Structures are given as structure tokens and as C-alpha cells.
């Protein structure tokens, strides 16, 4: 197992290096110029040229790459062209909102999604199954911004129960932090609940039709024991995979939700950086996210051993 | 080991108390909601130095934290601001300025003449109108701690006007660097202090009242006079989604929403707690710029064809559909300026004449060359106008196509002077303040100095000769100059105006006292009443 983990960790570095080279070239070859963005709408070509020189953007591409790669190897992720602050500091500033939203969303999605999936599988073909399937289809197909605006209208503007927008750091008070996350969490969770519920239902139905489940029923096992002790554990691998992928996706940035609820997270940081051509931020976030994806996948693979003793590394 | 319920409760209370400590401390320091104004501005503040950018939001930031030697009053006349006494020599070539008492940096040190000298030098080196002064070999020198002089080879009548237009005074150690290297310290001597500890780039910025600021004794008038701050803190929230910003305004989470889109006006007007207010009465002039170096617009006839083709009312209907907030504009110098005029406008004024446009394209020898319109899809108004222009050109047989990109892609591509086959361009659409079109010295888009000038590169030596006289003549003479320049400008037709749009801001009724000036929203003078 230790050897397996070590190999996967080494591969993470390789993945991050490949992603780094790819994103560096992609950004330089794409149209756009940070100097022009800094100088503004009415700037003259002379002003822009001066800023390009100052930022070192006139240097040949290999020289720019060598400088950047050297800095990265020393653990220096660079400084934002616009904010003039270290990129890692800006990422750290945005990490808490994104992680808070991702964790809350996963908590709600997994709890409700798995429960709905089990319930639908247990009552397959009946009214409750049809209702939950319809809910899944709805949650899956209605865009996040529609749900978001609807909830804002209902709970923030009409009733004033919850705030419209913004994020309050956890150290500013647990209550404020929680209240500001309710609407974005519910909005974001609906799609994930639907996704997890569907996968859970399918996976559970497959297991429930196995011979050993019939045997258990014949032996008089209770519904609770059949669903939670026998079926859920055996249906666990696809569910775990879905949860892991969902979590990785959430950390990667949920731009729409962050935009609708004005949450200053990683997603918005990257989108703003792309609009401004703030290369150091884009490169760093994408490299770190790729590494995180690999690590989350590793965590999922390791978690398989918990639900399926046949899995060995 | 077993844990009792009481122990769990105790641990919970202890954790809650620890978590609550920072919020309690913060609550002791933070101003109350009634003394805090929350604003949503157009775009995000990404560049902090007003010398390296022309972005309006950076001018707003600079207007809050820096001070200027002179400021424009509501009639756009420069009035002393940091300057106490000043005078000009009999030959009108040497200006002497003495700083008024009580000026201090946010770091506690006094403002000196050396700071002013370094700031003026850097600001004028940045290009634009400042180069006019530097070309005259201006000698900017400190005489003593509070006095400095500007000595010129020739008189320059617009000097105090130039010193009033966004020439912010920075500390000598900040200003002593190239004009292309951005200052990020954000330490000024203005009525607001930039709160570095609350700065979250891309998310929010906070400005605190500078308690040590000594305002002038004259009443507030435009950007001039006393800058009296009536609130403790102003927070700029960068809410990227306009629908969310409006919802936050309805709910009272923000007090001010800049540039709401026209389709939200009715919603704002329906809420008795909200108001639409026009602060910048001059508005924005939308215009298209043609590449005068490449086919087909290297031909005057082809450019004049576009002048005939454009129907401003049609363009305004896709840019700003509410006629209450838009109007046509035919003067090269904008519609609301003292030098705006109707010289040489009769022949194209009506616009929307495709037959005439078709005829002129034919006379220009147009042979089906591709016309590429740069289309910034992340700027709704310019995107709509670009699409409409493409259709209008296609209808008269021009091989026009839009090149969609974001604004970042457009500003990079518009720098290319080559043909469209080599990644060049034919037309792009943008906007600028109607007010700034009233001054061809400070507005670089009004230059016609060919490849040294602004994108599109129209060239007229005759026009440039007239422009050079602008700096040293009075208003009556400028009006006469403007007519002559406009005669040339419309014949040359490098620019075609698409109409003027006024953008009201939306605010809570509890926020009052906002100062209305073009291009900048100062934050002093405003008051917030309890809801």
C-alpha cells in the first residue's frame, strides 16, 4: 500500500508539470495582453508598450518560461500582475469561501442524495420512487442561476429571512458564516443531490437484485439490515466515486454559484484572472487544482478498501 | 473513556466563545452600518495607480485617497485644492505654487513640494497631454518645502487645467519611478485612507475617513472646495452579477449600484426605497473607429460611406433602449461641451442611408475585401452595436464579419496595424466620456497624427496644426478652432459616432449628497441616513 501511495504521489508531480507547461503555452498563444488590460480603454500604444516592457512580457517565450519554471521549482508561485500581491496569498484568501461552500454542499448532497437514492431503490416503481426520479430530473436540468435567483427572491427579498449575497469568514462568527452559506449551498446542492441520488438508486437496485439479497430476505433479515448492512456497502464503490468527483469539481471552482451569490472564491478568482490575463494567478490555480484532483482520486481509491475488502493495493 | 452530555455541552460553549472572540473584537473596531456606505462599482478595481491606466474605477480610487493641486468645480473651471497661493510671471512662462497648510500623508508625514515635483514629472511623462508640456522642456523645481515652480519655454494657458485633471500627488518615494511601473502602496493625502488590511482584490476594498484631513474653507463645488467626509467607511463590493447587485440593493445590503443595465430601470423605479440618479450628465459617446491604414478604409470614400450608413437611432436602440437616457450626437466634440458645434454635419446628419453608402463604397473601388469588426462579447452594448453594424454592412454588399473575443482579446488585436489576413482588423466599437471629447489636448482619441496616434491612425497635418494652437487660446477662439477642426474631421471620417448614452446610478433613498461630475464619483459629501 505504501509503495502504491508513493507512486501515485510522484505521478501527481508529473501531472502538475505537464499541466504547467500546457497552460503556460496556452495562455501565451491565446489572444490578449495584460499590459493592454492594465492601461485601459483609452490608452495609447505607447503606454501599453511601456507597461509590457516593465512587466517583462517582451522577453522571448523560452526566457519567460525558464524564469517562471525556475520560480515554481523554488516554490515561488509569482506575484499577481494586477493586485501586486503574492499569488499564494490571493489563493489563500479565496480558499476559505470555496472550501466552506464545497464542504457544506457535499454534506447536504451526500446526506440527502444517498438517502433519496436508497429510498427510491427500496420503493422502486412506486409513487415515492417516481417522485424522487422526477425531483432528480428537475435538479439535474434546472440551471444553477435559475434556482439561485428564485431562492434569493423568495428568502432574501420577499421574506428577508436570509441575506442576498456575500460571504462572512468563519472567524467573524459561526452564525453569520452559516446564514450566508444557506442559499448558495441549497442552490448548488440540488444538482449534486440529483446526481448522487440517481447513482445510488441504480447501484442499490443492482445489488438488491443479487441472489444473496434474496437469501437474506428469505432468512428474515429486516429491511434496515438488508439496505444498510448488506446492500449499501456493496453498492458503495460507484457512490464513493461520484462523491469524490463531485468534491473535486466543487473545489475546482463553482463559478456560477459564486457569481450569483457574490462569494469571493477560487472560481471567481480564476475567471477574473482570465478576463484580465493575469497569467501568474491562472497558471498557479490550474496547477494546484490539477494536483488536488490527483490527490482526491487517490483518496477515493484508498477509500475503496474500506467498503470492499477485495480491493488491495 | 466515556464523555458525558454535560462535558459535550461545556466543550460546545467553550468552542463557541473562542470562535466568537474575533467577531467581538471586530465589532468594537468596525464602524456601524449607519456610518458605512456600501457601493457596487462598474468593473473591478484591478489597477491602483492612476498614472498607468485610464480606467475610470482607478480614477475613483485615486480621487478618494490622493489629492490634486487643482480641482475642477461644477463649471469645469480649475480651482486651487492643495495649492494655497499661486502666481504666474508676466511673460506667462513661469508658474509658482505654494502648498496650503495642513496637508499630510496617511503615514503621518507632511506633504512637501518635493512630492509634488516628482508626481507632476511622472504623471506628465506618462503620455497624453502631459507630453505637450514635457515637449516644451518644462523645468519643474522645488524652491522650498512648500513651494515649487514650473518654468516653460512658451506660455501654456491650459496648465492649471492639466494639473486639475487626474494629476494626483503621491509621495516622492512612490512617484520617483517610471510612469509604466505601477504604484501599489496606496498611501495618499486625500480625504480617505485605503484600508489595506480589509483589501480583498477582486472581492472588496474599504476606504476609511481620514480623520486628519484638513478640508479647504470654500464650500464643496464639483471636485473643488471642501472635501468633507460624512461617513466613517466606504466599502466597494465587487458583485459581478448585476441581478444580484440589484437584489442586494433592494434588500438594503448595499447602498449604491453603479451602471445598472437599462432593463433593470423599471424594477428600480418600482421600489419606493430606491432612486435612479444621473451623476454624470455628460454621458458616454459610443463610436466606431476604422483602420485607416488598410483596405477598404484606407479610402476616405469608404469611411464616408460608413458615416452615411450609420443610423444613430438604430444603434441607440440596441445600446440603450430607453430614449430618456440616450440621444444622437453629431459634433466631433461631443454634444454638451462649449466647443460642440454643427460644422460640416449636414451631409451625413440624417444617417441610415444605405444607398449612398453603397455608392460611396463603389466609388472607393471596394472589391469585396474582408471587413473584420472586433466584437467584445463581454461588453453587452458594444457587442450589440458590432452585430448591428455587421448586418448593416452585409446588407449593402460589404464582406463584413464579426471577430468575437472578450475585451482583453480586442485590446490586444487593435494594436495590430497590418491587414486582416495577418490578424489585423477593420473596425472596432468603444465609448468615452462626452465631456472628454470637448478637449482635443487631453483626449488622445481626438488626435489625427497617423501611426503615432490612437488606434485607427487617421492622419491630417492641417488638423494637427490647429490642435497645437488649442492650449493657448481662450474659449471664444477655441470655438472657432473647433469648427475648423470638425470640418476636417468629418471629411476624413476616421471616427463615426453611434450616439450618446447616459447611465444613471441606482441608490437607496437613505444615501444622499452624491456629487455629479463626468467620469468620476467622489465619495466625500455623501451622507447616509438611518433606514
Amino acid at each position: 500500500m505504501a509503495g502504491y501511495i508513493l507512486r501515485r504521489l510522484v505521478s501527481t508531480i508529473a501531472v502538475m508539470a505537464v499541466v504547467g507547461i500546457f497552460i503556460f503555452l496556452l495562455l501565451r498563444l491565446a489572444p490578449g495582453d495584460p499590459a493592454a488590460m492594465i492601461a485601459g480603454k483609452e490608452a495609447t500604444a505607447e503606454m501599453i508598450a511601456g507597461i509590457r516592457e516593465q512587466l517583462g512580457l517582451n522577453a522571448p517565450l523560452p526566457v519567460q518560461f525558464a524564469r517562471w519554471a525556475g520560480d515554481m521549482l523554488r516554490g515561488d508561485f509569482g506575484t499577481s500582475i494586477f493586485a501586486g500581491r503574492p499569488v499564494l496569498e490571493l489563493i489563500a484568501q479565496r480558499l476559505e469561501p470555496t472550501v466552506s461552500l464545497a464542504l457544506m454542499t457535499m454534506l447536504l448532497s451526500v446526506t440527502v442524495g444517498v438517502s433519496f437514492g436508497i429510498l427510491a431503490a427500496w420503493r422502486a416503481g412506486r409513487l415515492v420512487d417516481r417522485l424522487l426520479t422526477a425531483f432528480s430530473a428537475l435538479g439535474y436540468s434546472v440551471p444553477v442561476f435559475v434556482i439561485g435567483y428564485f431562492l434569493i427572491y423568495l428568502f432574501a427579498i420577499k421574506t428577508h429571512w436570509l441575506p442576498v449575497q456575500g460571504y462572512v469568514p468563519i472567524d467573524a462568527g459561526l452564525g453569520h458564516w452559516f446564514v450566508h452559506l444557506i442559499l448558495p449551498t441549497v442552490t448548488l446542492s440540488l444538482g449534486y443531490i440529483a446526481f448522487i441520488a440517481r447513482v445510488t438508486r441504480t447501484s442499490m437496485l443492482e445489488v438488491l437484485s443479487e441472489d444473496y439479497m434474496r437469501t437474506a430476505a428469505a432468512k428474515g433479515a429486516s429491511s434496515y439490515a438488508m439496505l444498510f448492512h448488506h446492500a449499501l456497502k456493496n453498492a458503495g464503490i460507484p457512490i464513493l466515486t461520484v462523491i469524490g468527483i463531485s468534491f473535486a469539481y466543487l473545489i475546482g471552482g463553482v463559478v456560477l454559484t459564486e457569481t450569483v451569490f457574490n462569494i469571493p472564491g477560487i472560481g471567481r478568482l480564476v475567471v477574473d484572472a482570465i478576463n484580465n490575463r493575469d497569467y501568474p494567478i491562472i497558471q498557479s490555480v490550474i496547477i494546484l487544482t490539477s494536483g488536488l484532483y490527483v490527490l482526491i482520486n487517490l483518496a477515493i481509491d484508498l477509500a475503496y478498501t474500506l467498503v470492499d475488502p477485495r480491493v488491495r493495493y | 473513556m466515556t464523555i458525558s452530555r454535560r462535558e459535550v455541552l461545556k466543550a460546545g460553549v467553550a468552542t463557541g466563545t473562542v470562535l466568537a472572540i474575533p467577531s467581538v473584537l471586530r465589532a468594537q473596531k468596525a464602524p456601524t452600518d449607519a456610518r458605512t456606505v456600501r457601493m457596487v462599482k462598474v468593473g473591478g478595481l484591478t489597477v491602483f495607480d492612476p498614472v498607468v491606466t485610464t480606467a475610470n474605477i482607478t480614477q475613483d480610487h485615486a480621487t478618494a485617497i490622493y489629492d490634486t493641486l487643482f480641482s475642477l468645480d461644477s463649471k469645469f473651471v480649475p480651482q486651487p485644492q492643495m495649492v494655497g497661493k499661486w502666481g504666474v510671471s508676466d511673460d506667462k512662462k513661469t508658474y509658482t505654487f505654494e502648498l496650503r497648510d495642513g496637508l499630510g500623508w496617511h503615514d503621518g508625514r507632511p506633504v512637501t513640494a518635493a512630492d509634488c515635483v516628482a508626481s507632476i514629472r511622472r504623471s506628465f511623462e506618462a503620455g497624453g497631454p502631459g507630453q505637450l508640456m514635457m515637449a516644451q522642456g518644462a523645468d519643474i523645481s522645488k524652491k522650498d518645502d512648500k513651494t515649487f515652480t514650473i518654468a516653460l519655454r512658451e506660455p501654456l494657458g491650459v496648465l492649471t487645467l492639466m494639473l486639475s485633471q487626474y494629476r494626483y500627488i503621491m509621495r516622492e518615494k512612490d512617484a520617483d519611478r517610471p510612469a509604466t511601473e505601477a504604484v501599489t502602496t496606496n498611501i495618499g493625502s486625500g480625504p480617505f485612507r485605503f484600508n489595506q488590511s480589509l483589501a480583498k482584490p477582486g472581492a472588496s476594498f474599504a476606504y476609511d475617513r481620514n480623520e486628519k484631513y484638513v478640508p479647504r474653507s470654500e464650500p464643496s463645488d464639483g471636485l473643488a472646495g471642501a472635501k468633507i467626509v460624512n461617513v466613517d467607511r466606504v466599502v466597494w463590493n465587487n458583485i459581478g452579477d448585476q441581478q444580484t447587485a440589484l437584489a442586494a440593493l433592494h434588500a438594503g445590503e448595499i447602498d449604491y449600484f453603479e451602471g445598472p443595465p437599462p432593463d433593470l430601470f423599471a424594477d428600480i423605479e418600482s421600489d419606493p426605497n430606491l432612486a435612479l440618479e444621473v451623476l454624470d450628465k455628460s454621458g458616454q459617446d459610443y463610436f466606431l473607429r476604422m483602420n485607416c491604414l488598410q483596405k477598404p478604409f484606407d479610402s476616405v470614400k469608404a469611411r464616408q460611406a460608413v458615416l452615411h450608413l450609420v443610423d444613430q437611432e438604430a444603434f441607440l436602440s440596441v445600446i440603450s433602449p430607453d430614449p430618456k437616457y440616450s440621444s444622437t450626437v453629431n459634433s466631433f466634440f461631443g454634444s454638451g461641451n462649449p466647443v460642440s458645434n454643427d460644422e460640416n454635419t449636414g451631409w451625413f446628419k440624417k444617417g441610415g442611408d444605405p444607398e449612398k453608402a453603397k455608392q460611396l463604397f463603389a466609388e472607393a473601388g471596394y472589391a469585396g475585401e474582408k471587413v473584420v469588426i472586433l466584437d467584445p462579447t463581454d461588453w453587452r452594448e458594444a457587442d450589440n452595436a458590432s452585430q448591428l453594424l455587421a448586418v448593416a454592412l452585409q446588407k449593402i454588399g460589404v464582406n463584413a464579419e464579426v471577430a468575437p473575443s472578450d475585451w482583453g482579446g480586442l485590446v490586444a488585436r487593435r494594436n495590430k496595424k497590418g491587414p486582416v489576413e495577418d490578424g489585423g482588423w477593420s473596425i472596432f466599437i468603444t465609448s468615452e466620456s462626452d465631456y472628454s471629447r470637448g478637449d482635443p489636448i487631453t483626449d488622445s482619441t481626438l488626435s489625427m497624427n497617423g501611426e503615432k496616434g490612437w488606434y485607427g491612425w487617421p492622419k491630417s497635418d492641417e488638423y494637427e496644426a490647429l490642435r497645437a494652437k488649442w492650449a493657448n487660446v481662450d474659449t471664444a477662439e477655441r470655438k472657432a478652432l473647433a469648427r475648423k477642426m470638425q470640418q476636417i474631421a468629418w471629411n476624413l471620417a476616421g471616427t463615426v459616432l453611434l450616439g450618446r448614452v447616459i447611465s444613471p446610478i441606482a441608490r437607496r433613498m437613505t444615501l444622499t449628497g452624491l456629487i455629479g461630475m463626468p467620469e468620476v464619483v467622489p465619495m466625500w459629501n455623501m451622507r447616509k441616513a438611518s433606514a
Side-chain angles (χ1 to χ4, degrees):
Chain A
M1 170 93 85
Y4 174 79
I5 293 173
L6 196 66
R7 278 198 304 279
R8 290 288 294 265
L9 288 177
V10 171
S11 77
T12 306
I13 295 165
V15 167
M16 288 167 79
V18 170
V19 169
I21 294 166
F22 179 73
I23 195 68
F24 180 90
L25 291 174
L26 189 69
L27 286 174
R28 276 13 180 235
L29 297 175
D33 180 0
M37 295 307 291
I38 288 173
K41 212 164 59 168
E42 288 148 38
T44 60
E46 200 182 355
M47 275 172 79
I48 295 169
I51 297 169
R52 277 188 68 80
E53 187 64 40
Q54 196 67 46
L55 294 175
L57 296 170
N58 284 336
L61 214 54
V63 174
Q64 288 187 48
F65 180 77
R67 273 187 208 145
W68 173 71
D71 289 345
M72 289 293 285
L73 288 173
R74 285 193 297 274
D76 179 0
F77 282 69
T79 303
S80 159
I81 291 175
F82 285 80
R85 292 200 195 177
V87 169
L88 282 184
E89 183 188 317
L90 294 174
I91 293 174
Q93 217 173 46
R94 302 299 189 97
L95 206 56
E96 188 196 306
T98 296
V99 170
S100 298
L101 182 58
L103 285 177
M104 290 276 283
T105 301
M106 284 321 292
L107 191 69
L108 185 66
S109 304
V110 171
T111 315
V112 179
V114 172
S115 307
F116 279 8
I118 293 170
L119 188 62
W122 184 40
R123 291 282 181 248
R126 299 192 192 172
L127 181 65
V128 68
D129 178 31
R130 285 188 200 141
L131 284 175
L132 289 174
T133 305
F135 167 81
S136 293
L138 204 69
Y140 218 56
S141 48
V142 180
V144 157
F145 60 88
V146 173
I147 300 167
Y149 290 144
F150 176 71
L151 293 178
I152 286 174
Y153 178 76
L154 207 61
F155 295 106
I157 296 179
K158 277 288 149 194
T159 60
H160 296 282
W161 289 350
L162 295 167
V164 172
Q165 51 84 42
Y167 175 79
V168 175
I170 200 160
D171 69 354
L174 210 53
H176 284 305
W177 170 81
F178 181 73
V179 161
H180 277 83
L181 279 175
I182 293 175
L183 287 184
T185 300
V186 173
T187 302
L188 193 54
S189 294
L190 287 180
Y192 287 101
I193 289 172
F195 186 36
I196 292 170
R198 282 180 80 110
V199 172
T200 306
R201 178 184 180 275
T202 310
S203 194
M204 287 288 285
L205 280 177
E206 211 170 286
V207 175
L208 286 171
S209 64
E210 293 285 342
D211 290 346
Y212 62 84
M213 292 304 295
R214 256 198 309 276
T215 308
K219 284 172 72 180
S222 68
S223 299
Y224 178 86
M226 281 181 62
L227 286 172
F228 294 98
H229 286 196
H230 301 296
L232 186 59
K233 209 167 179 185
N234 285 300
I237 285 189
I239 300 170
L240 266 179
T241 308
V242 165
I243 291 169
I245 291 168
S246 303
F247 188 65
Y249 178 71
L250 280 168
I251 291 290
V254 276
V255 179
L256 271 179
T257 310
E258 287 181 357
T259 304
V260 169
F261 291 99
N262 188 32
I263 294 173
I266 298 285
R268 279 190 61 198
L269 178 72
V270 178
V271 170
D272 290 345
I274 290 169
N275 286 335
N276 289 327
R277 309 294 191 271
D278 200 335
Y279 298 149
I281 293 182
I282 307 168
Q283 288 162 182
S284 302
V285 172
I286 291 180
I287 287 173
L288 290 174
T289 309
S290 68
L292 194 67
Y293 268 55
V294 178
L295 291 178
I296 288 174
N297 273 314
L298 173 63
I300 297 166
D301 288 348
L302 295 178
Y304 289 162
T305 59
L306 299 176
V307 293
D308 189 347
R310 290 169 299 178
V311 178
R312 288 275 185 275
Y313 296 113
Chain B
M1 189 181 101
T2 54
I3 301 171
S4 71
R5 198 172 62 174
R6 187 166 295 178
E7 280 169 328
V8 171
L9 284 173
K10 271 185 195 168
V13 170
T15 310
T17 308
V18 169
L19 285 172
I21 286 171
S23 61
V24 171
L25 291 176
R26 197 175 320 214
Q28 286 168 350
K29 284 183 200 164
T32 60
D33 261 3
R35 302 281 298 169
T36 302
V37 173
R38 295 180 191 281
M39 305 176 103
V40 172
K41 311 284 289 179
V42 170
L45 177 66
T46 51
V47 183
F48 299 95
D49 185 345
V51 175
V52 301
T53 185
T54 59
N56 283 0
I57 192 165
T58 305
Q59 306 301 332
D60 285 354
H61 161 80
T63 301
I65 67 168
Y66 297 112
D67 218 342
T68 50
L69 294 167
F70 287 80
S71 296
L72 293 180
D73 65 17
S74 56
K75 294 185 177 65
F76 309 118
V77 178
Q79 303 291 348
Q81 183 55 252
M82 295 172 81
V83 165
K85 290 183 220 155
W86 68 286
V88 59
S89 62
D90 291 341
D91 63 0
K92 312 272 187 210
K93 291 182 186 172
T94 304
Y95 287 78
T96 304
F97 302 100
E98 186 185 311
L99 296 174
R100 68 181 170 92
D101 292 330
L103 301 176
W105 296 109
H106 299 159
D107 64 9
R109 291 184 310 110
V111 176
T112 66
D115 297 315
C116 301
V117 169
S119 298
I120 296 168
R121 276 192 191 139
R122 179 170 181 263
S123 152
F124 283 172
E125 276 166 13
Q131 284 184 329
L132 188 72
M133 200 175 86
M134 300 314 279
Q136 286 212 15
D139 175 34
I140 309 164
S141 328
K142 171 189 160 183
K143 285 190 81 175
D144 58 45
D145 271 357
K146 290 183 70 176
T147 315
F148 66 95
T149 58
I150 299 179
L152 305 157
R153 270 195 230 131
E154 299 293 332
L156 186 64
V158 290
L159 181 64
T160 54
L161 179 70
M162 287 166 71
L163 290 174
S164 66
Q165 287 180 320
Y166 316 130
R167 305 289 166 187
Y168 301 99
I169 301 302
M170 298 178 176
R171 296 181 304 175
E172 186 183 15
K173 65 176 174 183
D174 291 329
D176 197 14
R177 70 182 68 201
T180 50
E181 187 187 327
V183 174
T184 54
T185 49
N186 292 313
I187 293 175
S189 64
F192 284 89
R193 299 162 66 104
F194 184 75
N195 191 324
Q196 201 76 45
S197 63
L198 293 182
K200 292 175 187 160
S204 64
F205 295 104
Y207 299 85
D208 294 338
R209 183 164 66 94
N210 177 10
E211 287 160 359
K212 293 180 182 161
Y213 185 77
V214 181
R216 292 189 72 89
S217 55
E218 299 92 337
S220 174
D221 180 16
L223 299 174
K227 297 179 178 178
I228 296 171
V229 178
N230 301 310
V231 295
D232 291 337
R233 180 171 288 170
V234 179
V235 177
W236 289 7
N237 279 335
N238 183 14
I239 301 182
D241 184 75
Q242 292 176 317
Q243 199 73 45
T244 305
L246 178 59
L249 190 70
H250 276 303
E253 292 176 21
I254 59 168
D255 304 290
Y256 170 101
F257 174 18
E258 200 167 275
D263 52 319
L264 299 183
F265 289 174
D267 190 347
I268 294 163
E269 284 168 331
S270 70
D271 186 336
N273 297 313
L274 307 184
L276 283 173
E277 183 178 353
V278 175
L279 295 178
D280 178 1
K281 292 183 177 65
S282 71
Q284 289 276 309
D285 290 340
Y286 279 79
F287 63 96
L288 67 82
R289 194 80 165 175
M290 287 169 275
N291 184 348
C292 301
L293 302 179
Q294 298 296 334
K295 284 187 178 302
F297 298 118
D298 57 344
S299 158
V300 169
K301 295 241 177 194
R303 300 201 296 266
Q304 289 178 345
V306 178
L307 203 50
H308 278 287
L309 182 67
V310 165
D311 173 1
Q312 289 197 15
E313 285 178 1
F315 277 87
L316 285 171
S317 72
V318 300
I319 295 172
S320 178
D322 190 338
K324 203 161 63 175
Y325 296 108
S326 62
S327 60
T328 57
V329 51
N330 289 300
S331 174
F332 190 67
F333 297 100
S335 59
N337 296 307
V339 292
S340 303
N341 66 81
D342 61 357
E343 184 74 25
N344 197 22
T345 57
W347 56 279
F348 68 86
K349 202 170 184 174
K350 188 173 160 287
D353 188 349
E355 287 310 313
K356 182 71 181 172
K358 201 171 177 178
Q359 179 202 325
L360 283 169
F361 264 112
E363 287 175 21
Y366 177 66
E369 295 93 352
K370 194 189 280 182
V371 167
V372 172
I373 302 165
L374 303 183
D375 176 7
T377 52
D378 53 347
W379 180 7
R380 187 181 57 84
E381 291 84 355
D383 178 28
N384 290 351
S386 302
Q387 303 277 353
L388 180 62
L389 178 66
V391 171
L393 284 166
Q394 285 159 1
K395 275 187 180 167
I396 60 165
V398 174
N399 179 17
E401 65 178 40
V402 291
S405 73
D406 61 358
W407 177 253
L410 186 152
V411 291
R413 189 167 174 183
R414 73 177 177 180
N415 203 23
K416 293 182 178 169
K417 292 176 178 166
V420 292
E421 291 76 17
D422 296 340
W425 57 277
S426 312
I427 297 176
F428 74 87
I429 289 171
T430 185
S431 74
E432 67 169 336
S433 161
D434 185 86
Y435 164 75
S436 71
R437 288 194 77 85
D439 188 349
I441 293 294
T442 54
D443 186 339
S444 52
T445 73
L446 299 182
S447 67
M448 291 203 190
N449 46 356
E451 295 195 42
K452 289 181 191 161
W454 206 68
Y455 310 96
W457 310 288
K459 185 165 172 47
S460 165
D461 294 338
E462 193 187 353
Y463 175 95
E464 282 298 303
L466 293 169
R467 193 165 81 98
K469 293 180 184 171
W470 193 275
N472 278 313
V473 295
D474 61 20
T475 306
E477 284 175 281
R478 277 185 190 159
K479 283 182 180 175
L481 267 182
R483 293 190 82 86
K484 289 180 191 168
M485 289 163 78
Q486 183 163 303
Q487 176 77 29
I488 300 165
W490 285 141
N491 284 342
L492 204 69
T495 295
V496 174
L497 295 170
L498 305 176
R500 171 172 163 257
V501 172
I502 288 170
S503 299
I505 59 97
R507 62 173 171 84
R508 303 274 310 167
M509 295 298 266
T510 45
L511 183 70
T512 55
L514 291 158
I515 294 171
M517 287 293 279
E519 297 184 301
V520 68
V521 182
M523 304 193 297
W524 58 85
N525 207 54
M526 63 185 179
R527 289 180 181 279
K528 186 177 174 184
S530 299

